[in-house]
Amino acid sequence: MTITNNITRFLDARKVAYTAHELPAEKLGAVESAQHIGVSPEQVFKTIVIVREKKKPVLAVIPGPRVVDLKLLASFLGEKKVSLPTEREAEQLTGLQAGGISPLALINKGFQVVIDSAAQGYDQVFVSGGQRGLDIRLSAVDLAKLTNARFGNISKDE
């Protein structure tokens, strides 16, 4: 039985090619998700909520083993400073549970999305399906189009 939710219905309605991957329902990081799916951790992208001083938060979509480079992201956005909220604050800002925060679940909610340039090196990437226990595989180009995202060099090794 495949999980169906608002994201899969949205992708179906837009006739976007994707594959849903069910995972254990507990909170998994992108690296653990990659192990369950059987792909490189660099191909599984996590969504990090980033707070700006006066505007709506940004969703930074970066490879699993990497971290957001706040200076690079601030520069990319033309901001002086950006910061990481706590996990609880991120959940309050998005209305989604950590481990299930997805740019696909927040389309038309006013979030700007920036996808790390590394995604352009893959035919397909994996992102959260909007809930714990679900990852979606789709093309990085489709992800960018659907979320009105820009690509940028915004991450670094931990």
Side-chain angles (χ1 to χ4, degrees), residues 1-69:
M1 170 84 189
T2 305
I3 295 176
T4 301
N5 67 7
N6 289 342
I7 291 176
T8 60
R9 286 188 285 276
F10 173 81
L11 294 172
D12 289 339
R14 298 279 188 297
K15 301 198 180 341
V16 173
Y18 74 95
T19 306
H21 292 270
E22 290 187 56
L23 302 164
E26 71 262 14
K27 182 183 170 209
L28 295 177
V31 174
E32 294 91 348
S33 294
Q35 290 169 339
H36 279 281
I37 297 168
V39 297
S40 159
E42 289 77 20
Q43 199 173 350
V44 177
F45 282 68
K46 57 190 175 186
T47 304
I48 308 297
V49 178
I50 304 293
V51 178
R52 305 191 267 191
E53 287 189 20
K54 294 188 176 124
K55 296 181 190 158
K56 189 113 173 146
V58 174
L59 303 176
V61 183
I62 64 168
R66 296 178 63 88
V67 295
V68 175
D69 186 316

Side-chain angles (χ1 to χ4, degrees), residues 14 59 70 72 92 102 117 143 149:
R14 298 279 188 297
L59 303 176
L70 295 175
L72 282 175
Q92 289 172 336
S102 171
S117 302
L143 177 62

